[in-house]
């Protein structure tokens, strides 16, 4: 389970976030990154982490975010942020 106390500050405000345990292995980008057709997740500028750049709002976006959460091997994606 992701830990909102170590949420990456670069992520946009809202319930969905990535925490500092992101490696980044990039598999979540296949679900919710630019090449997936969704633009919810992307690399940070130095590509050391992945962050949310948009909070999911539509049903399709929420499904994509949930898929990213479930596929993350680090459990670094959470939806219980503030
Ligand atoms: S799947 Fe998890 S560990 Fe991999 S890049 Fe995405 S948030 Fe980071």
């Amino acid at each position: 389970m992701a830990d909102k106390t170590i949420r990456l500050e670069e992520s946009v405000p809202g319930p969905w976030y990535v925490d500092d345990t992101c490696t980044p292995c990039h598999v979540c980008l296949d679900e919710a990154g630019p090449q997936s057709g969704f633009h919810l997740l992307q690399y940070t500028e130095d590509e050391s982490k992945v962050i949310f750049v948009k909070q999911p709002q539509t049903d399709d976006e929420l499904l994509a975010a949930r898929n990213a959460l479930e596929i993350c091997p680090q459990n670094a994606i959470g939806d219980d942020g503030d």
Side-chain angles (χ1 to χ4, degrees):
M1 184 176 176
D3 181 352
K4 61 185 175 185
T5 67
I6 53 171
R7 171 189 184 130
L8 293 170
E9 293 299 323
E10 298 96 322
S11 277
V12 293
W16 289 83
Y17 63 95
V18 179
D19 77 21
D20 194 41
T21 63
C22 172
T23 50
C25 69
H26 75 72
V27 296
C28 60
L29 297 177
D30 294 338
E31 303 295 335
Q35 293 177 347
S36 71
F38 297 98
H39 295 269
L40 303 176
L41 292 163
Q42 71 178 41
Y43 283 115
T44 53
E45 262 185 43
D46 64 3
E47 299 191 356
S48 64
K49 303 286 181 187
V50 164
I51 55 171
F52 273 90
V53 291
K54 179 180 187 294
Q55 290 287 324
Q57 292 176 327
T58 67
D59 287 347
D60 284 350
E61 288 175 340
L62 283 164
L63 180 59
R66 282 194 199 103
N67 288 340
L69 183 155
E70 287 172 12
I71 205 171
C72 176
Q74 295 292 113
N75 294 322
I77 298 177
D79 64 355
D80 60 340
D82 300 320

